[in-house]
Amino acid sequence: MRDHSDLQSMNERSLAQQAAVRRATFSPAEEKILRPFSIWEISHFMFDVPADTLRKKLADDPSLPQGMVEEDGRQRWFSLQEINELRRRLRFRGKPLLPHRPTGRAMRVAVSNFKGGVGKTVVAQHLANAAALDGYRVLVIDFDPQATMTHSMGLTEVKEWNTVWGIMCRDLCREADRIAAAYDDPADCPYPTADELPEDVQSIGAQRIQDFIQKTAWPTIDIIPSCANAAFVEFASAQYRAMHKAWSFFGCVSRYLDELPEDQYDLIIFDCPPAIGYQSLNAAFAADILYIPSGPGYWEYDSTTSFLGQLGDALEDISDGFAKVAEDAGIRLPKRFDDVRLLMTRFEQSNPLHVAMMDAFRNVFGADVCKHAIEMTRAVEQSGRFQQSVYEQDYRQMTRETWKRARQSFDAAYDEFKEVVLRAWEAKNAKQEVEA
């Protein structure tokens, strides 16, 4: 017979193995450091100019970042900070290198599905990395207690009050006081005020808006992390909801993000848990766009079908059952997304079963299926094994063609993603101008 002590022992052995992986992947201090990028990468994949043209620009203006030159003098390597300075200062044929950024707050994208192993975190991580290399400022929110995204960003020690759970506690305190203040006599309010909530909720709720945001190895990617201890958020949220029935629990993260300065980020990406619960509903209500990754098998298709149905039912139930609560909190119901996209992952073009499944997805979901799938390559497999995205992997550690093929697959998916985001962003701005 086995009890909790066996599970704890297994956990300890696994943590030791995780530490070994981090030591092999990160710096000696177990701190993840973003690698530099070569002239070849910058010119070919980021600036889309000939390498010799970029070299000439650097030679003509010594005040520009010159990178780090290898001892043999054959190659220059640049940090992302230096690349971003080059973006700000350089033009090629009169064309700026900074990416297009419409006015208004950052666009929010939820990467979500039921099925484990379909690549939710891989997709969210690579989209965030690609956007950062494209010149955008990104905030990642890890809603998943497995915290894979958090670990991949180089964070290993996270307290539960710095996670989405902390944001929900903060929101409950603020909403409790707002609701009580709406009564002519707050004493008539049948719901608790902030100072009547549990002490741990009050202490966590006192945090400032920026306290939840942490830096990552990427200078232009920040994260609101997760941790294993945050798994109890579903239980805690149910208790808080029972305690304060007028609390619009599904709007916590959206309200939090509305408090951020509009120009702090360009893109906010949510890595969601494989379940419909308080956290995933918060992600859905905060998101402008829903991205649904799915593998190329029948079980992934089956799970995606279930996810769409259950999320749709949950959103409908909230629209029907929480209309008054939402109206009082200023939340528009029913929840509407600017776009919903399905992205095929782990796809092999040479596999007839994968091709058939892609055809099946397109027959059912039509233009909502992304044109560019994420291909399964050795570099993609290693991204999970070593907690490094394809963008973080050094192409010198494998054949350049293997790395290049994986990079091009993710670049194609990112370019399509960027087109979806910018189109929705511009449409949102146009709608707001008409309403104004």
Side-chain angles (χ1 to χ4, degrees):
M1 301 292 290
R2 310 178 77 174
D3 59 16
H4 64 277
S5 62
D6 295 284
L7 301 179
Q8 292 168 341
S9 175
M10 294 167 70
N11 171 256
E12 290 172 1
R13 296 199 302 271
S14 183
L15 288 174
Q17 178 61 33
Q18 285 181 344
V21 171
R22 284 195 293 270
R23 284 193 296 271
T25 306
F26 299 172
S27 70
E30 293 190 17
E31 176 185 359
K32 187 169 186 176
I33 299 174
L34 182 61
R35 70 174 180 87
F37 299 86
S38 68
I39 284 275
W40 172 70
E41 290 178 89
I42 298 169
S43 61
H44 186 78
F45 293 104
M46 301 180 202
F47 293 177
D48 192 24
V49 298
D52 287 343
T53 302
L54 177 56
R55 290 190 183 96
K56 186 176 187 307
K57 287 276 190 180
L58 297 175
D60 290 345
D61 187 353
S63 72
L64 291 170
Q66 298 295 314
M68 178 183 65
V69 182
E70 290 184 344
E71 291 183 2
D72 60 9
R74 297 178 58 188
Q75 185 62 280
R76 291 178 185 268
W77 297 84
F78 293 77
S79 68
L80 184 55
Q81 292 97 322
E82 291 174 318
I83 294 170
N84 285 333
E85 185 175 348
L86 292 175
R87 282 189 181 280
R88 289 189 292 269
R89 296 179 58 186
L90 285 179
R91 284 176 174 260
F92 291 94
R93 306 183 193 90
K95 180 182 177 182
L97 296 173
L98 290 172
H100 176 50
R101 204 272 192 203
T103 59
R105 66 160 176 79
M107 286 294 281
R108 310 167 186 172
V109 182
V111 181
S112 186
N113 202 339
F114 269 168
K115 188 82 170 63
V118 298
K120 292 186 295 294
T121 300
V122 169
V123 169
Q125 178 191 17
H126 281 79
L127 291 178
N129 289 177
L133 291 179
D134 198 20
Y136 289 111
R137 298 159 301 166
V138 183
L139 174 65
V140 174
I141 304 181
D142 191 350
F143 285 85
D144 193 344
Q146 297 176 90
T148 307
M149 173 65 84
T150 298
H151 298 156
S152 74
M153 289 290 175
L155 282 73
T156 56
E157 297 295 332
V158 176
K159 302 300 183 183
E160 56 266 24
W161 50 83
N162 290 327
T163 69
V164 169
W165 178 61
I167 290 175
M168 295 181 75
C169 288
R170 179 179 183 272
D171 184 81
L172 175 57
C173 291
R174 293 165 66 87
E175 284 295 287
D177 283 344
R178 180 192 65 78
I179 291 168
Y183 286 79
D184 293 334
D185 183 353
D188 293 335
C189 179
Y191 311 108
T193 56
D195 58 8
E196 296 173 312
L197 295 171
E199 290 185 7
D200 61 335
V201 174
Q202 293 184 50
S203 62
I204 296 170
Q207 293 188 92
R208 298 166 299 180
I209 184 172
Q210 299 291 342
D211 289 345
F212 300 96
I213 298 173
Q214 298 192 36
K215 297 295 182 183
T216 73
W218 290 70
T220 50
I221 300 180
D222 293 339
I223 188 170
I224 296 174
S226 186
C227 67
N229 287 349
F232 69 87
V233 68
E234 297 298 321
F235 303 102
S237 299
Q239 291 177 330
Y240 303 155
R241 167 65 189 148
M243 188 184 306
H244 199 302
K245 291 183 170 55
W247 177 44
S248 51
F249 60 89
F250 46 87
C252 302
V253 173
S254 182
R255 283 189 287 266
Y256 168 81
L257 294 176
D258 286 344
E259 292 184 68
L260 294 176
E262 279 195 349
D263 61 351
Q264 186 169 350
Y265 299 103
D266 307 312
L267 187 64
I268 302 176
I269 297 177
F270 308 152
D271 184 27
C272 299
I276 300 294
Y278 287 93
Q279 294 191 78
S280 55
L281 284 174
N282 261 276
F285 267 90
D288 301 305
I289 297 171
L290 182 60
Y291 243 64
I292 307 172
S294 178
Y298 177 77
W299 296 121
E300 287 93 343
Y301 171 79
D302 185 64
S303 179
T304 299
T305 302
S306 297
F307 170 74
L308 291 167
Q310 292 190 38
L311 179 59
D313 290 345
L315 295 178
E316 182 182 28
D317 289 345
I318 287 177
S319 294
D320 294 341
F322 296 88
K324 183 63 169 65
V325 169
E327 181 182 355
D328 292 343
I331 299 174
R332 290 186 179 182
L333 292 179
K335 166 64 187 178
R336 290 184 170 90
F337 297 101
D338 294 324
D339 209 339
V340 176
R341 308 287 287 176
L342 292 98
L343 174 65
M344 186 71 75
T345 61
R346 299 187 292 104
F347 183 73
E348 297 175 6
Q349 186 64 51
S350 60
N351 189 323
L353 294 177
H354 290 193
V355 174
M357 188 54 67
M358 175 68 87
D359 290 340
F361 266 78
R362 286 176 173 156
N363 286 338
V364 174
F365 301 113
D368 290 333
V369 179
C370 295
K371 297 177 183 177
H372 299 284
I374 302 297
E375 295 186 27
M376 174 54 73
T377 68
R378 177 169 169 263
V380 174
E381 290 179 316
Q382 288 190 353
S383 70
R385 179 184 175 189
F386 296 111
Q387 298 184 5
Q388 289 183 322
S389 73
V390 168
Y391 298 107
E392 293 171 315
Q393 293 176 36
D394 191 327
Y395 59 82
R396 295 170 295 180
Q397 303 301 317
M398 63 188 76
T399 64
R400 182 177 290 199
E401 284 305 311
T402 296
W403 179 88
K404 185 177 178 181
R405 179 184 161 202
R407 162 110 199 204
Q408 289 173 331
S409 175
F410 278 107
D411 280 354
Y414 167 72
D415 288 342
E416 186 175 359
F417 167 81
K418 179 180 176 181
E419 181 181 337
V420 169
V421 169
L422 291 178
R423 183 170 60 243
W425 203 337
E426 297 286 10
K428 185 187 291 289
N429 285 346
K431 181 180 178 181
Q432 291 174 345
E433 288 178 6
V434 170
E435 292 176 347

